[in-house]
């Protein structure tokens, strides 16, 4: 039994709420105390995630011009960026905790992704 259970469909359901959370939560939490970039990095990433989701070839994509594999690779890169952001940009306190938590969440979701070859065989 594989621990990889996040399918393309499950991932699609997560995309829009995550994008909107990345756009809105920085304002709710008051991010930016250690560096204004802590607020705007999340807002910009959320906006980019929304556009990426709209363009991804999955059930909730609108234009479906980008392969899901590219979407997953971008998510992985965002996870790494978020984990490194506190060190790269000097985020501390809540700003750092926000990026560590989100980076870890993204890394976990991406690492639990079920390869599409396994999904077709299941």
């Amino acid at each position: 039994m594989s621990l990889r259970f996040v399918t393309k469909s499950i991932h699609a359901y997560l995309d829009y709420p995550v994008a909107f959370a990345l756009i809105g939560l920085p304002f709710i939490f008051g991010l930016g105390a250690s560096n204004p970039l802590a607020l705007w990095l999340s807002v910009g990433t959320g906006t980019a995630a929304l556009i990426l989701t709209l363009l991804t070839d999955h059930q909730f994509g609108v234009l479906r011009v980008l392969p899901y594999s590219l979407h997953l690779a971008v998510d992985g890169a965002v996870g790494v960026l978020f984990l490194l952001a506190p060190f790269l940009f000097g985020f501390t306190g809540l700003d750092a905790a926000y990026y560590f938590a989100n980076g870890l969440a993204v890394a976990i979701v991406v690492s639990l992704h079920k390869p599409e070859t396994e999904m077709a065989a299941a």
Side-chain angles (χ1 to χ4, degrees):
M1 182 174 98
S2 174
L3 289 177
R4 293 178 168 203
F5 63 89
V6 177
T7 63
K8 183 177 180 179
S9 178
I10 291 170
H11 190 116
Y13 278 101
L14 297 172
D15 281 338
Y16 287 104
V18 167
F20 288 119
L22 288 171
I23 294 167
L25 286 177
F27 296 102
I28 292 168
F29 291 154
L31 294 187
S34 65
N35 181 336
L37 185 58
L39 180 123
W40 296 110
L41 178 61
S42 183
V43 173
T45 302
T47 303
L50 181 60
I51 293 166
L52 179 66
T53 298
L54 290 167
L55 298 176
T56 296
D57 183 19
H58 65 31
Q59 71 198 51
F60 295 125
V62 175
L63 296 180
R64 299 182 184 189
V65 295
L66 298 177
Y68 179 67
S69 58
L70 174 65
H71 180 115
L72 210 55
V74 170
D75 283 355
V78 167
V80 170
L81 172 64
F82 276 18
L83 288 168
L84 294 176
F87 304 107
L88 295 173
F89 306 119
F91 299 165
T92 59
L94 180 60
D95 293 346
Y98 176 86
Y99 282 93
F100 286 137
N102 278 296
L104 186 59
V106 170
I108 289 170
V109 168
V110 170
S111 71
L112 293 177
H113 183 264
K114 187 176 212 172
E116 293 200 47
T117 54
E118 282 183 38
M119 287 188 281

